[in-house]
Structures are given as structure tokens and as C-alpha cells.
């Protein structure tokens, strides 16, 4: 009985540990694209993965970095081990502790520290910085596997070699090194595996256009999981598993304690030869693929899912300019990267208030409008609107815009909504959804009182705070993305939402109506700008001119679904409902009292946050 | 046997705060089998390592064949070492082990092959060329270590407790082997051990060391029969060391009884230590002895009986082929030339330095 209990327990642990991975592996063979149903066995995801050049590039980058970092770390780590081994006890303990820190440290701390160091040293983030970072965290693993081997070495053998006339290096090479070789090889395999495995440190130290498998998977997964990623993850898991098993199993020994030559070859030599073959192939394909790449470059830094990928393809084909494309999730992630100058982006797409901040910090280059004649396609109204952050229209090309308004369910609300007041109506208690973000929430309260959404007046802000506290019992939830899903699912009657989302929700649930309240609201604009340290400014201007073409603007509108300020592009929209939608294309009347957010300065930011915390805590 | 080959001149060496060798001087003659004997920590291994080049003395010089080699690295010295733990290269075959030094010095393959054959024959391990060190017994490994050292034709072979890891029977066999080797090779052996029996069996000269100082140096017979201080007497073999009073030349009072002896020059009524080897004590009838006592312990040791006799408040250790039963009264007689008189050390430092030196 006892034994059965043990076995069940063991089985349970293994199931818990491996069920998620097993799921992934199974899905990688599922011919149906949705996770929910089994569509039969297929290898098509593997073949389409192999056909995807960006995945293959990431694979080779991964392998080359893993190989080089493991190799260099093995050399440094072995030398370090020899040094540490011959130290006195106290110093030895100290150094072992110190060298173990990168291994014990949280990856995120190591990653951020390395990134800060690289930026401080004015290194350009890219392949080299990833490599240096990987070498750094690989060294302790090598030391960890070499040092015990050195302890086993009979020190007399080294002295015996010297005694027999060998020089120090000859003695090390002929006598010590063969004894520690198994440890050195284990260290190499371990380092290779760790490098293959790493995501966090790579994420922080990589530059645009360089991706390892893990960062590639991460950026793909953010856009929704593709089955190719299941296949890729499965391959990654299997190769790490195999390497770990090889690295951890000691070669077999025969009766006299000697390592069997055949076992040594199987456990140490074969995996390293395999690695060499992979990496060699990687190098070759890299060289070949780089050979036909153009010398004209463009580094684009954009929001995730904020351009039709085909547009980039078309641009590359037409101009011969090689585009390196990199994405960010928020303005706040983008800003420090541009500010630090660690990566020279050629063109970036921040929001209004962030453009203002970048201008204040002198990070932007003036656009030469001679190179962007298509700017004429942009609606004058939005050029005008842009002046709130770019007063002379010198630095920015409007790309997408939208408003913040109220989305309501016609079947759950008595009369058409026109005012922000409805969010304070006792009737809709527990049926109201608010945005869970400080500026959006305060914009609602401030506009309701007829104040500016950029107010820094203490009395106005105190009043707004008071109002928000008062409103809190009526609010069902403070959320961000869920407004969309909850409104579609009839879970709430009224929600504060972005116009871009509103169009989508209406398609899903025709009972929903979007309105910009009469008191006015926030209108936001995301515009392209060129950082001052851009290396390919003319290419950037050519790209902006390309994006301002009506047919390209239309392609992007179809893909992103956010409103385009491109008047000529809007006219190409075939669907009348959409072309004339007041949600997508509000009239000047609608926008009468709308403002864009401004950067208020650090002090005001802190004050807003303090008040918002007061609201949340009440 | 008269040419000096190696000279240690005023060697001092300490590790941290611990002084291991203090103004150490020693000469080694050509073709000598010299043994450094002493308890662990006495400085004997350090002396050997300084000669081998593995340690640098803080002060002093090592003169080898007329040249100062103090600063020379180990690989430039014309001597080879046999280490306590064999120190064979485990990833090489026996032949590769033996050829190691020869390859470095750039000898031809034919010469090397010859040497390997010769060396293996010399250590009675012909045909072992392709074996691996791990597959050999301890004694065999030690012989290979010796073979590996001697193929380089060193002028001096240093042996650092080479038999320490072997069992008793093997140790004895190897002792004879080493004497034979030394005679065949005709080179100088410097041997380090804490085993007095090994030292007595093999050496031409024994250097007894304690706490970094030489206590006594001489032939095995000298060291055994005429220890110059209590340390040497105690360390070499078994002995009765008895605090006594030198009454006058050739007469000493031991435990209240007057014993005639052969020593002179200690003055009169001077406290001394007397050394009497257990096998030099004759047990006679009570009335015939110099003092009288009772047998308190009796152990059969094979070649002899070991007995303890209580007489005048001192327990005498006696070795004899004749047995006397426990409880019997006996007389103790010692021939005058079997009594060894030593000055009493006046302090612990004196004891270390050896006042009689």
C-alpha cells in the first residue's frame, strides 16, 4: 500500500511538472489552429516554422550567441577556476561567493544592471551586448563545474611534471587539463544550455532587429499565439532537455575507474560536435542572408501591432531600404530607450504628450518637409490639433488618433447619453466601468466640471478627487482592456472607452453606442517623429512620405482599425458606414471641446498619482 | 663518498607565523643515501621541497654541485622527486608516464623506448608498458614513479615518504628494492620519512630533525646506540630515559643506585638523563643486580618478551628472550658501555635545538 501511495505521489508530481509542456507539445502537432479542438495530427507548423526566415534568423542568432558565449565563458571560467583553486582558503571562499552572485542574482536585476552599464558606456545595444551579457552569466556555471574537478586533481602530479622538466604551461596542458577536461566540457554544455534558455537578460540587453528564440517567441506571443510558436517552443524544450541530460550524466567508468572512451565520446564529444554543426550552419546561412541585404538601413520603433506588416514589405521592395522593426508596449518603455541613445532609432511613433516631453528634452530632429510632400494628404484639422504639442508643426507626422468617450448599451439605458454626468447616476450603480489609469480617470472628472484635462489647479483637482471618491461606490470595476469584452458581453451598461475599441465593439454587439460627451473629452494623436540621433534621417523621411500615401494609410487603417488623419486615405474607404462613421472620424463640432494630454512635469505627475491613490484607497 | 654534492646554507623558511626551518645547515655527499627523519612538522619535507624547487627559502642558499640553485625553477634542476602519493599521470599509459621527462628533453624515440625497457626491468615490471596506472597496485605504482624519475638520469633522487602509503610487508620489500636500486644507479638518494625502521635499514646517514633543527646526524649505529639527547633516544627505537645524577666520571646514580659507566667530562654531582635500551638490561637473580624490582607486565612479542619491572619507583622497560613471570622479584644489571649519558635540556627551546649538538 505504502509503495502504491509513493508511486501515485511521484506520478502526481511529474504530471504537475510536465503537463503544461506536454500540452504545448501536443498542440504543436494539432492541425486545427484553435486551441480548443483537435484537428488531427500534422507537421505543418514545423514546416511553416522552418520556412519563416525571421524565426530561422532568431534560431541562428540564438545558436551563435549560445556557442560563442559558452566558448568564451569556458575559457575565462576555466582560467578563473585555476586561479581561485590556488588561492588561500579565506580569499577562495570570498571569490567563490563573488563569482556565484551573477548566478544567484535575479535575472531581471542582472539584465537591468547590464543594460544600464551598456547605456552608461555608450554601447549600442545589439548582438555584441547580448553576447557580453551571456558571457557574464555563463562564467559562474563554468566555474561551478570546473572547480570540483580541480579539487580532485592530485596536486603532486603538477609538481611531478615540473620536476620532470615541464614548464608551467606544458605541465598544465599535459597533466592538469586532461584531468579537468570532463568538468570543462560539462561547463561548456551547461553554459550553452543556459544561454539557449535565457529570456530576461536577453530582453534587456538586446537591440532592434536582433532576436533570440526566446525574445522572438515573447514578441510573437504578445500578438496572439501562432501554432508555429508551439512547434518552436517544443524544439527549444527538447534541445534544452537533451543537453541538460548529457551535461548532468557523468561518463561511465569501467572497473578500474577509467572513463570508457566510448561513453566519453557519446556523452561529451557527440553533443559538442552537434552544437558545432548547428552553429556552423547558422553562420553560413547568416553570411548568405546578409550578403544580399542592402546597405541602406532604417530602424523603426513602433507600438505593437501598429502597422500592416505588408506595408513594410512593400516599402523595402520599392526603396531597397532594409527595415529593422522593433516594438514597444507603452510610451514610458519607449522614452528611456530613445533618451539614453543606446539605440539609434530612425523613426518612432509616440503619443502627443510624450512628443511634447521629447521636444522639451531636445530629443527630436526637425523634419525636412521637402522630403515628405505627401504631408498634404493629412487633414488640416489634425495638423492644427498637433500644435498643442508641436507648436510649429516641425517635428511630427500624425499617424493615428482617437477620442475617449462613453460606450453604452441602448437596451440598458433609458435615454441617449450626452454628458459625463451619467457616470454619477445612482440608477446605474454597479453597471459602470471606469478606466483604470490616472490621467484618463481625472480627465472624465475634470471635463465634467468644465475644467481642462491638463489642469494643475489644486482646487480643481481636489474637486475632481472628491467627485471620483463619490463615484466609486457606483463603479462596477476599474479596468483597461476588459471594458471592450464586458460591454460586448452585456456585463455593464456604461463604460469609458477609446474610440478605436468602440468601432470594434459595435461590430460585435449592435446594441452598443459610442458618444463623445458634450463637455468635451480627450483626443489623442500618435505621430511619427525622428529622434535627433537617427542615423538614417533621409530614409526615415522617405518612410514617412510612404506612410502618408493614401493607399498605404488605408492599408494601415484596415489593419489597425484606429482612425487615420489621412484625408485622402479616408476617401478611399469603400464602406460608407465606416467612411462616414462619426466614431472613427468625428466632426469638428464633436471635437470642439476636446484636448490632447500634455506632459505636466514630474511634480504635477506625482500630485496626480497621489490623488489617484487617495481615490483608490477610499 | 667524500665529495660534497649539496649544501644547505643558513636556510630559513616560515609559513605564516610558523617558523619551519631556522638557520638550517646540511651537507650531502655524492652517492650517499641520506635520510631526513623526524615527526611530522619537523621541517624534513620542507627541506626536501626547497631542494626540489617547490618552495623558496626566506633566507639562505642551496648549493648544488658548486652552483647556487636557490632561484632555479624545478624543471631546471638536475634532480628528480618520487612523491608520496605516486603522482602518476592517470590519463597516460605506463610507457607515456616514463617517457614524459625524456620527451621534454627532446630524446629520440629509439632512446626513449630503450630507456623505458631498461627502467621497467630495473623496477621489475617488464611488459607493463601499455598498462594504465589505475590498474596497478600501490607498490607497482610507486615503482613506476621511481622508474619515471630515474630515466632522466638525475644526480640526486629525492624520495618523499615513498613507502608511506604501502602496507607493512610491501614496505619492507620496497626498502630492499631501494637499497638495490641505489647501488645499481650509483647516485645520491635523499629520503624523507618518519619511520625510524626504514631509516635505520636503508641509510648511510640519518639526520634526525625536530622543530626545524637537526637533533643528531650520523650513521644508523651512532644514532641508535648513542643518541645525543632525549628526543633522539625517544624517537629512535624504545628506551628507558631516566633522570639521574652524574656523581663523577664513570659513575652515575640511577634511582638511588650507583651504576658504573664509561662516560666522562660531565662534572661532578650534575643532573643528567640516562638512556638505556630495553634489550641492554639483563635480568638476574635479585641479589646479583644493581637494583631490585618486581616484574609487573609481560607481553610476548615474537622475537622477545617485553617486560616492565618496577624498581625504586621507576618502571623499567626490558626486552629479553628469557621469560620472567609477573610478580617475581629480579635484579637489574646494565653493562657500563650500555649506559648513555646525556645533558639535561634546561628549557623547551634547548630541547628543540639539542644542547649536545
Amino acid at each position: 500500500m505504502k509503495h502504491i501511495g509513493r508511486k501515485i505521489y511521484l506520478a502526481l508530481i511529474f504530471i504537475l511538472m510536465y503537463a503544461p509542456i506536454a500540452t504545448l507539445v501536443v498542440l504543436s502537432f494539432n492541425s486545427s489552429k484553435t486551441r480548443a479542438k483537435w484537428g488531427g495530427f500534422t507537421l505543418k507548423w514545423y514546416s511553416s516554422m522552418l520556412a519563416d526566415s525571421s524565426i530561422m534568423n532568431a534560431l541562428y542568432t540564438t545558436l551563435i550567441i549560445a556557442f560563442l558565449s559558452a566558448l568564451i565563458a569556458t575559457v575565462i571560467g576555466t582560467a578563473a577556476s585555476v586561479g581561485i583553486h590556488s588561492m588561500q582558503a579565506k580569499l577562495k571562499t570570498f571569490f567563490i561567493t563573488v563569482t556565484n552572485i551573477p548566478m544567484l542574482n535575479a535575472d531581471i536585476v542582472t539584465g537591468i544592471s547590464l543594460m544600464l552599464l551598456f547605456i552608461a558606456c555608450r554601447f549600442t545595444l545589439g548582438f555584441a551586448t547580448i553576447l557580453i551579457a551571456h558571457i557574464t552569466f555563463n562564467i559562474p556555471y563554468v566555474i561551478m563545474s570546473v572547480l570540483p574537478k580541480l579539487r580532485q586533481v592530485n596536486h603532486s602530479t603538477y609538481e611531478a611534471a615540473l620536476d620532470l622538466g615541464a614548464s608551467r604551461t606544458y605541465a598544465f596542458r599535459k597533466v592538469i587539463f586532461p584531468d579537468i577536461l570532463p568538468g570543462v566540457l560539462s561547463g561548456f554544455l551547461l553554459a550553452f544550455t543556459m544561454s539557449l534558455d535565457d529570456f530576461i537578460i536577453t530582453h534587456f540587453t538586446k537591440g532592434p532587429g536582433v532576436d533570440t528564440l526566446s525574445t522572438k517567441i515573447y514578441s510573437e506571443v504578445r500578438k496572439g499565439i501562432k501554432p508555429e510558436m508551439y512547434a518552436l517552443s517544443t524544439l527549444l524544450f527538447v534541445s534544452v532537455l537533451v543537453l541538460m541530460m548529457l551535461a548532468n550524466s557523468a561518463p561511465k567508468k569501467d572497473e578500474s575507474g577509467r572513463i570508457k572512451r566510448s561513453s566519453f565520446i557519446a556523452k561529451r564529444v557527440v553533443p559538442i560536435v552537434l552544437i558545432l554543426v548547428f552553429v556552423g550552419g547558422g553562420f553560413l546561412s547568416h553570411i548568405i542572408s546578409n550578403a544580399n541585404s542592402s546597405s541602406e538601413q532604417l530602424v523603426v520603433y513602433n507600438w505593437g501591432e501598429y502597422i500592416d506588416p505588408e506595408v513594410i514589405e512593400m516599402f523595402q521592395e520599392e526603396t531597397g531600404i532594409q527595415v529593422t522593426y522593433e516594438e514597444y508596449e507603452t510610451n514610458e518603455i519607449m522614452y528611456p530607450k530613445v533618451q539614453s541613445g543606446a539605440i539609434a532609432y530612425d523613426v518612432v511613433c509616440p503619443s502627443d504628450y510624450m512628443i511634447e516631453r521629447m521636444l522639451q528634452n531636445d530629443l527630436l530632429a526637425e523634419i525636412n518637409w521637402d522630403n515628405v510632400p505627401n504631408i498634404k494628404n493629412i487633414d488640416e484639422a489634425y495638423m492644427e490639433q498637433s500644435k498643442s504639442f508641436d507648436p510649429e508643426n516641425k517635428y511630427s507626422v500624425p499617424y493615428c488618433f482617437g477620442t475617449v468617450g462613453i460606450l453604452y448599451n441602448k437596451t440598458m439605458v433609458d435615454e441617449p447619453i450626452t454628458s459625463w454626468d451619467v457616470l454619477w447616476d445612482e440608477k446605474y450603480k454597479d453597471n459602470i466601468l471606469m478606466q483604470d489609469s490616472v490621467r484618463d480617470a481625472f480627465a472624465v472628472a475634470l471635463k465634467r466640471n468644465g475644467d481642462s484635462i491638463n489642469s494643475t489647479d489644486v482646487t480643481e483637482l481636489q474637486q475632481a478627487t472628491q467627485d471620483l471618491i463619490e463615484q466609486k461606490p457606483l463603479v462596477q470595476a476599474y479596468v483597461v482592456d476588459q471594458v471592450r469584452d464586458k460591454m460586448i458581453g452585456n456585463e455593464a451598461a456604461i463604460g469609458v472607452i477609446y474610440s478605436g475599441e468602440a468601432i470594434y465593439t459595435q461590430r460585435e454587439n449592435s446594441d452598443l453606442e459610442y458618444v463623445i460627451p458634450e463637455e468635451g473629452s480627450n483626443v489623442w494623436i500618435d505621430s511619427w517623429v525622428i529622434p535627433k540621433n537617427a542615423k538614417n534621417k533621409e530614409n526615415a523621411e522617405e518612410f514617412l512620405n510612404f506612410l502618408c500615401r493614401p493607399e498605404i494609410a488605408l492599408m494601415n487603417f484596415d489593419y489597425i482599425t484606429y482612425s487615420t488623419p489621412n484625408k485622402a486615405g479616408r476617401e478611399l474607404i469603400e464602406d460608407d458606414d465606416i467612411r462616414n462613421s462619426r466614431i472613427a472620424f468625428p466632426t469638428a463640432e464633436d471635437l470642439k471641446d476636446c484636448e490632447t494630454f500634455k506632459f505636466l512635469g514630474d511634480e504635477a505627475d506625482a500630485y496626480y498619482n497621489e490623488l489617484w491613490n487617495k481615490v483608490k484607497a477610499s | 663518498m667524500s665529495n660534497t654534492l649539496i649544501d644547505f646554507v643558513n636556510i630559513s623558511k616560515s609559513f605564516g607565523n610558523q617558523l619551519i626551518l631556522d638557520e638550517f645547515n646540511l651537507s650531502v655527499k655524492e652517492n650517499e643515501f641520506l635520510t631526513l627523519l623526524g615527526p611530522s612538522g619537523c621541517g624534513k619535507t620542507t627541506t626536501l621541497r626547497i631542494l626540489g624547487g617547490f618552495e623558496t627559502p626566506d633566507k639562505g642558499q642551496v648549493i648544488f654541485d658548486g652552483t647556487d640553485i636557490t632561484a632555479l625553477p624545478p624543471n631546471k634542476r638536475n634532480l628528480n622527486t618520487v612523491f608520496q602519493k605516486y603522482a602518476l599521470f592517470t590519463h597516460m599509459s605506463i610507457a607515456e608516464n616514463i617517457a614524459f621527462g625524456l620527451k621534454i628533453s627532446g630524446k629520440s624515440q629509439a632512446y626513449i623506448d630503450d630507456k623505458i625497457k631498461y627502467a621497467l626491468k630495473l623496477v621489475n615490471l617488464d611488459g607493463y608498458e601499455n598498462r594504465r596506472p589505475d590498474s596497478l597496485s600501490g607498490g607497482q605504482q610507486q615503482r613506476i614513479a621511481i622508474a619515471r624519475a630515474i630515466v632522466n638520469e638525475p644526480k640526486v633522487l629525492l624520495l618523499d615518504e615513498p613507502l608511506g602509503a604501502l602496507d607493512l610487508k610491501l614496505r619492507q620489500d620496497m626498502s630492499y628494492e631501494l637499497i638495490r636500486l641505489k647501488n645499481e644507479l650509483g647516485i645520491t638518494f635523499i629520503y624523507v620519512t618518519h619511520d625510524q625502521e626504514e631509516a635505520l635499514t636503508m641509510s648511510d646517514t640519518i639526520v634526525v630533525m625536530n622543530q626545524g633543527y637537526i637533533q643528531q646526524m650520523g650513521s644508523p649505529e651512532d644514532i641508535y646506540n648513542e643518541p645525543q639527547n632525549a628526543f633522539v633516544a625517544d624517537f629512535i627505537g624504545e628506551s628507558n630515559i631516566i633522570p639521574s645524577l652524574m656523581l663523577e666520571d664513570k659513575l652515575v646514580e640511577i634511582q638511588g643506585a650507583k651504576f658504573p659507566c664509561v662516560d666522562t667530562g660531565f662534572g661532578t654531582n650534575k643532573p643528567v638523563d640516562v638512556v638505556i635500551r630495553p634489550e641492554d638490561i639483563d635480568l638476574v637473580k635479585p641479589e646479583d643486580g644493581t637494583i631490585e624490582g618486581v616484574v609487573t607486565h609481560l607481553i610476548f612479542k615474537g622475537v622477545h618478551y617485553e617486560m616492565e619491572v618496577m624498581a625504586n619507583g621507576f618502571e623499567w622497560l626490558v626486552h629479553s628472550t628469557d621469560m620472567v613471570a609477573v610478580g617475581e622479584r629480579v635484579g637489574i644489571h646494565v653493562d657500563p658501555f650500555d649506559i648513555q649519558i646525556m645533558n639535561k635540556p634546561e628549557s623547551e627551546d634547548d630541547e628543540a635545538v639539542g644542547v649536545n649538538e
Side-chain angles (χ1 to χ4, degrees):
Chain A
M1 259 329 275
K2 222 163 132 194
H3 286 279
I4 293 173
R6 267 189 218 168
K7 278 179 184 159
I8 291 174
Y9 183 64
L10 186 69
L12 216 64
I13 288 177
F14 270 96
I15 289 171
L16 281 174
M17 276 169 62
Y18 286 101
I21 293 165
T23 315
L24 178 89
V25 173
V26 168
L27 284 175
S28 75
F29 295 112
N30 182 6
S31 74
S32 153
K33 207 165 182 167
T34 64
R35 268 162 282 173
K37 61 171 189 252
W38 177 252
F41 180 86
T42 180
L43 286 173
K44 71 177 170 189
W45 306 125
Y46 285 87
S47 57
S48 71
M49 174 195 88
L50 290 174
D52 183 330
S53 71
S54 72
I55 292 179
M56 286 294 107
N57 260 333
L59 173 68
Y60 290 138
T61 309
T62 308
L63 288 172
I64 290 166
I65 284 182
F67 176 74
L68 286 180
S69 69
L71 188 73
I72 298 169
T74 303
V75 174
I76 298 175
T78 306
S81 306
V82 173
I84 290 171
H85 180 68
S86 59
M87 282 173 184
Q88 287 171 347
K90 252 189 197 165
L91 211 60
K92 193 189 269 184
T93 320
F94 171 76
F95 268 93
I96 291 175
T97 314
V98 166
T99 53
N100 274 346
I101 285 173
M103 188 165 60
L104 302 172
N105 213 355
D107 277 0
I108 192 152
V109 177
T110 310
I112 292 175
S113 335
L114 281 165
M115 179 185 76
L116 292 175
L117 177 73
F118 292 142
I119 289 172
C121 295
R122 308 249 154 234
F123 282 8
T124 305
L125 295 181
F127 183 89
T129 49
I130 302 178
L131 184 63
I132 294 170
H134 280 226
I135 293 169
T136 309
F137 73 75
N138 272 339
I139 289 174
Y141 291 99
V142 176
I143 294 178
M144 193 176 72
S145 44
V146 175
L147 212 48
K149 281 282 163 203
L150 273 171
R151 284 198 199 106
Q152 286 169 18
V153 170
N154 177 356
H155 185 67
S156 305
T157 55
Y158 174 68
E159 291 191 340
L162 293 182
D163 187 75
L164 292 167
S167 66
R168 282 159 187 278
T169 45
Y170 188 84
F172 177 79
R173 201 153 49 84
K174 285 283 177 178
V175 174
I176 305 289
F177 192 69
D179 276 356
I180 61 169
L181 186 60
V184 173
L185 294 184
S186 295
F188 175 84
L189 284 180
L190 202 57
F192 187 85
T193 315
M194 287 301 154
S195 168
L196 214 58
D197 212 23
D198 175 71
F199 164 70
I200 298 174
I201 295 171
T202 314
H203 178 71
F204 283 105
T205 53
K206 82 188 199 73
V210 186
D211 262 311
T212 65
L213 280 185
S214 53
T215 59
K216 182 80 194 157
I217 291 173
Y218 176 73
S219 62
E220 290 295 326
V221 161
R222 255 178 3 200
K223 302 174 189 170
I225 300 181
K226 289 189 200 161
E228 284 90 342
M229 291 300 126
Y230 302 146
L232 185 57
S233 306
T234 302
L235 283 187
L236 194 60
F237 166 73
V238 170
S239 39
V240 168
L241 185 72
V242 169
L243 283 175
M244 286 305 284
M245 275 172 13
L246 290 172
N248 284 336
S249 66
K252 268 193 200 119
K253 295 184 170 183
D254 59 22
E255 301 90 53
S256 67
R258 277 193 47 74
I259 292 171
K260 275 190 191 162
R261 194 164 277 263
S262 59
S263 157
F264 184 78
I265 289 172
K267 299 246 159 104
R268 292 284 179 271
V269 180
V270 167
I272 287 175
V273 168
L274 277 179
I275 287 169
L276 282 175
V277 169
F278 276 140
V279 172
F283 263 126
L284 274 181
S285 100
H286 219 70
I287 289 163
I288 293 164
S289 72
N290 279 352
N292 49 27
S293 77
S294 155
S295 58
E296 284 295 314
Q297 302 281 327
L298 180 70
V299 186
V300 179
Y301 199 30
N302 193 9
W303 295 84
E305 293 286 277
Y306 218 43
I307 195 165
D308 186 342
E310 215 170 299
V311 167
I312 297 176
E313 292 289 321
M314 286 166 67
F315 177 73
Q316 291 191 119
E317 223 158 272
E318 191 181 307
T319 61
I321 294 169
Q322 187 72 32
V323 174
T324 304
Y325 189 76
E326 178 91 345
E327 294 175 346
Y328 56 83
E329 288 95 44
T330 71
N331 283 306
E332 285 66 28
I333 288 177
M334 174 279 298
Y335 180 77
K337 283 212 173 185
V338 172
Q339 192 217 18
S340 70
I343 302 166
Y345 294 108
D346 294 319
V347 63
V348 189
C349 186
S351 303
D352 33 47
Y353 70 96
M354 190 51 78
I355 293 174
E356 189 180 15
R357 184 171 172 192
M358 292 169 97
L359 263 176
Q360 277 175 21
N361 288 308
D362 197 22
L363 295 175
L364 300 182
E366 259 183 63
I367 295 172
N368 179 359
W369 295 114
D370 292 345
N371 293 334
V372 195
N374 288 337
I375 191 74
K376 67 175 192 293
N377 295 329
I378 305 292
D379 194 327
E380 242 342 283
Y382 298 102
M383 294 309 285
E384 201 55 43
Q385 193 82 49
S386 293
K387 285 185 177 164
S388 68
F389 51 84
D390 177 11
E392 294 170 69
N393 282 137
K394 272 181 170 173
Y395 298 95
S396 59
V397 175
Y399 182 57
C400 282
F401 75 93
T403 55
V404 176
I406 294 174
L407 186 72
Y408 63 97
N409 192 317
K410 284 183 279 190
T411 61
M412 295 163 89
V413 177
D414 301 339
E415 68 276 352
I417 288 171
T418 55
S419 163
W420 291 114
D421 282 336
V422 71
L423 298 172
W424 272 261
D425 192 333
E426 291 279 351
K427 255 197 302 199
Y428 303 115
K429 187 169 170 19
D430 280 340
N431 257 328
I432 294 169
L433 297 172
M434 279 290 282
Q435 283 287 325
D436 186 17
S437 100
V438 45
R439 291 294 297 271
D440 287 330
F442 272 90
V444 170
L446 286 165
K447 272 291 170 198
R448 176 170 169 253
N449 295 333
D451 301 325
S452 162
I453 62 172
N454 297 310
S455 169
T456 48
D457 183 299
V458 175
T459 336
E460 288 173 14
L461 287 173
Q462 289 286 0
Q463 182 57 46
T465 309
Q466 205 48 52
D467 293 348
L468 286 170
I469 291 172
E470 206 175 287
Q471 180 208 24
K472 205 181 169 197
L474 309 179
V475 174
Q476 185 194 87
Y478 292 91
V479 285
V480 183
D481 293 334
Q482 283 125 292
V483 177
R484 194 173 77 179
D485 298 335
K486 279 178 179 270
M487 293 301 292
I488 292 170
N490 295 330
E491 285 176 47
I494 303 169
V496 177
I497 200 166
Y498 286 89
S499 56
E501 309 269 9
I503 298 172
Y504 172 81
T505 56
Q506 267 185 325
R507 273 188 218 149
E508 300 292 316
N509 184 342
S510 55
D511 291 334
L512 298 178
E513 192 65 64
Y514 177 81
V515 66
I516 301 171
E518 60 198 9
E519 298 97 332
S521 178
N522 162 230
V523 56
W524 55 265
I525 301 181
D526 288 344
S527 300
W528 290 103
V529 294
I530 300 177
K532 227 175 191 161
N533 66 344
K535 285 192 182 135
N536 309 290
K537 185 162 180 280
E538 286 186 8
N539 292 348
E541 283 160 350
E542 192 167 355
F543 182 67
L544 296 186
N545 195 39
F546 186 80
L547 289 180
C548 289
R549 287 185 193 173
E551 68 278 11
I552 300 299
L554 176 65
M555 278 175 75
N556 281 331
F557 174 73
D558 284 343
Y559 185 85
I560 312 169
T561 73
Y562 279 13
S563 315
T564 176
N566 194 306
K567 201 161 59 177
R570 178 184 167 191
E571 274 152 22
L572 295 178
I573 298 172
E574 286 176 9
D575 188 331
D576 289 342
D577 287 348
I578 294 176
R579 191 174 60 240
N580 299 322
S581 159
R582 272 182 62 186
I583 302 174
F585 303 104
T587 61
E589 176 63 24
D590 292 334
L591 294 177
K592 188 166 55 85
D593 290 309
C594 287
E595 303 170 80
T596 52
F597 278 128
K598 283 173 160 277
F599 173 59
L600 302 175
D602 293 333
E603 218 174 299
D605 257 4
Y607 188 57
Y608 265 81
N609 280 322
E610 189 191 317
L611 294 176
W612 180 234
N613 283 336
K614 226 164 151 187
V615 173
K616 301 286 291 258
S618 71
Chain B
M1 285 267 298
S2 56
N3 295 348
T4 298
L5 182 64
I6 298 162
D7 253 318
F8 291 92
V9 186
N10 291 327
I11 299 280
S12 292
K13 175 78 184 170
S14 25
F15 293 109
N17 290 330
Q18 205 175 354
L19 190 67
I20 300 294
L21 292 175
D22 188 12
E23 300 280 322
F24 180 87
N25 286 285
L26 175 68
S27 291
V28 185
K29 294 193 191 78
E30 221 164 87
N31 209 9
E32 191 177 16
F33 195 129
L34 180 130
T35 301
L36 299 172
L37 176 66
S40 52
C42 73
K44 58 187 194 300
T45 299
T46 307
T47 308
L48 196 74
R49 288 175 63 79
I50 286 174
L51 182 55
F54 304 116
E55 304 286 356
T56 318
D58 302 333
K59 261 192 341 203
Q61 286 174 303
V62 184
I63 310 292
F64 183 90
D65 216 3
T67 38
D68 184 349
I69 59 161
T70 320
L72 221 56
N75 49 345
K76 302 274 189 259
R77 299 187 179 199
N78 190 10
L79 39 80
N80 288 108
T81 310
V82 175
F83 293 86
Q84 184 175 9
K85 285 184 258 161
Y86 323 138
L88 294 182
F89 310 135
T90 47
H91 55 279
M92 298 181 195
S93 71
I94 298 302
E96 286 167 333
N97 264 279
I98 296 174
F100 191 86
L102 298 172
K103 275 196 179 141
I104 291 168
S105 51
K107 297 282 192 293
S108 74
Q109 194 56 47
Y111 178 88
I112 292 174
D113 290 344
D114 271 3
K115 270 289 185 188
I116 293 171
K117 269 216 163 62
Y118 160 77
L120 285 176
K121 210 179 180 73
L122 201 65
V123 296
N124 289 328
L125 287 172
D126 329 51
Y128 276 66
E129 283 90 343
N130 295 319
R131 297 279 292 268
R132 291 270 160 181
D134 294 354
S135 67
L136 266 51
S137 73
Q140 288 170 326
Q141 290 192 41
Q142 194 55 281
R143 287 173 202 219
I144 298 299
I146 293 168
R148 184 178 65 179
I150 60 178
V151 288
N152 303 293
E153 299 178 352
K155 276 201 164 171
V156 182
L157 190 64
L158 310 181
L159 301 109
D160 185 8
E161 308 216 19
L163 311 184
L166 306 180
D167 59 45
L168 181 66
K169 186 74 179 65
L170 254 176
R171 215 151 61 208
Q172 284 169 349
D173 290 350
M174 280 298 291
S175 307
Y176 297 124
E177 198 91 353
L178 282 171
I179 298 170
R180 179 182 65 81
L181 266 175
K182 202 225 138 225
N183 291 335
E184 274 182 44
L185 293 167
I187 58 173
T188 307
F189 274 34
I190 298 180
Y191 191 96
V192 160
T193 185
H194 64 268
D195 185 312
Q196 40 128 344
E197 208 177 305
E198 280 176 22
L200 292 172
T201 322
M202 295 187 280
S203 319
D204 298 322
T205 308
I206 294 176
V207 179
V208 183
M209 293 178 68
N210 189 32
Q211 295 179 24
Y213 298 99
I214 295 178
Q215 302 292 315
Q216 189 174 354
M217 186 171 163
S219 69
E221 290 86 354
D222 286 347
I223 300 282
Y224 189 83
N225 292 330
E226 282 159 43
Q228 283 170 8
N229 59 40
F231 175 82
V232 177
D234 196 35
F235 195 77
I236 308 281
E238 286 175 288
S239 54
N240 295 289
I241 301 173
I242 313 159
S244 309
L245 193 66
M246 195 72 184
L247 295 174
E248 58 194 66
D249 280 358
K250 301 189 180 182
L251 188 65
V252 62
E253 188 189 289
I254 304 170
Q255 301 292 310
K258 292 190 176 72
F259 282 74
C261 63
V262 293
D263 298 78
T264 56
F266 285 91
T268 53
N269 290 323
K270 182 104 198 296
V272 290
D273 278 330
V274 164
V275 178
I276 304 172
R277 295 288 179 193
E279 65 272 22
D280 291 336
I281 297 172
D282 300 322
L283 294 183
V284 293
K285 285 184 193 149
E287 57 275 20
D288 294 345
T290 321
I291 37 176
E292 223 182 280
V294 182
V295 176
T296 54
H297 284 98
L298 172 71
I299 301 162
F300 178 58
K301 285 276 197 169
V303 229
H304 61 258
Y305 293 93
E306 184 179 291
M307 286 165 281
E308 279 174 20
V309 177
M310 181 57 97
N312 289 7
F314 184 83
E315 204 136 75
W316 298 68
L317 186 71
V318 181
H319 289 172
S320 168
T321 46
D322 300 320
M323 186 198 86
V324 182
V326 171
E328 262 188 63
R329 293 194 69 78
V330 291
I332 287 175
H333 170 82
V334 187
D335 286 331
F337 49 83
D338 284 332
I339 293 175
Q340 166 76 10
I341 310 284
M342 304 180 299
N343 274 320
K344 251 187 172 342
E346 276 162 23
S347 65
E348 250 182 61
D349 280 350
D350 271 356
E351 200 172 311
V353 175
V355 281
N356 279 20
E357 216 192 314

